Amino acid sequence: MDWLNTIGKILLYLPFLIFLFVYALTHKAKKRKALGIAADVTTFLLFFSIPASIVLLFGIQTQPTIFLFALLFAIFLLIREWKTTKEIEIIKFFRKLWRIYFLALAAIYAITWLLGTAFLMIQTFR
């Protein structure tokens, strides 16, 4: 059971491995949709990976803040969509929102690890 815990921690801190795995798995069957499926799966993992990484690197609890910003952004985007279109297609809206979350969370994840690496290097060589 200890190895299962280790695999879970690795995937939590390295979500791009899941992205690559899902992409490789779905590429043969669904060539055009493989990237989207991999992004969808990884987005869910990024919602938990980013707060865990920030706690690991900096010791700051950010999970409620990330969920709050995600909810507020969804509300903002829904209002904007409602004002520009007559009818909101729920599935298309959620797909667009989920893909925006993927891009934003992937960027935040990369920035977090770059800053964390720089922070640890500064502390190490000080």
Side-chain angles (χ1 to χ4, degrees):
M1 230 22 172
D2 200 28
W3 61 272
L4 192 60
N5 189 20
T6 304
I7 290 172
K9 285 182 182 179
I10 289 171
L11 294 178
L12 182 65
Y13 292 114
L14 301 171
F16 62 87
L17 291 177
I18 287 286
F19 179 83
L20 294 173
F21 178 73
V22 172
Y23 180 77
L25 215 71
T26 57
H27 181 69
K28 291 245 184 204
K30 303 178 184 238
K31 289 189 190 286
R32 301 189 86 210
K33 294 185 178 186
L35 190 64
I37 293 170
D40 291 343
V41 171
T42 307
T43 302
F44 179 75
L45 188 60
L46 281 170
F47 269 110
F48 299 101
S49 179
I50 291 171
S53 297
I54 291 173
V55 167
L56 177 72
L57 293 170
F58 304 109
I60 302 169
Q61 182 66 15
T62 60
Q63 191 162 19
T65 307
I66 289 174
F67 287 141
L68 179 66
F69 278 125
L71 181 64
L72 291 175
F73 182 73
I75 291 169
F76 168 76
L77 197 62
L78 182 65
I79 291 171
R80 197 178 116 226
E81 186 85 15
W82 173 62
K83 289 189 179 212
T84 58
T85 61
K86 292 182 181 180
E87 275 190 44
I88 297 174
E89 295 181 37
I90 299 296
I91 301 296
K92 284 178 93 174
F93 172 74
F94 279 126
R95 187 176 299 130
K96 182 187 344 180
L97 181 66
W98 201 248
R99 299 288 163 80
I100 291 171
Y101 283 161
F102 172 73
L103 293 173
L105 290 172
I108 292 169
Y109 179 79
I111 291 168
T112 299
W113 278 97
L114 286 173
L115 289 176
T117 304
F119 180 72
L120 290 174
M121 285 175 59
I122 290 170
Q123 282 193 346
T124 302
F125 295 118
R126 196 194 262 186

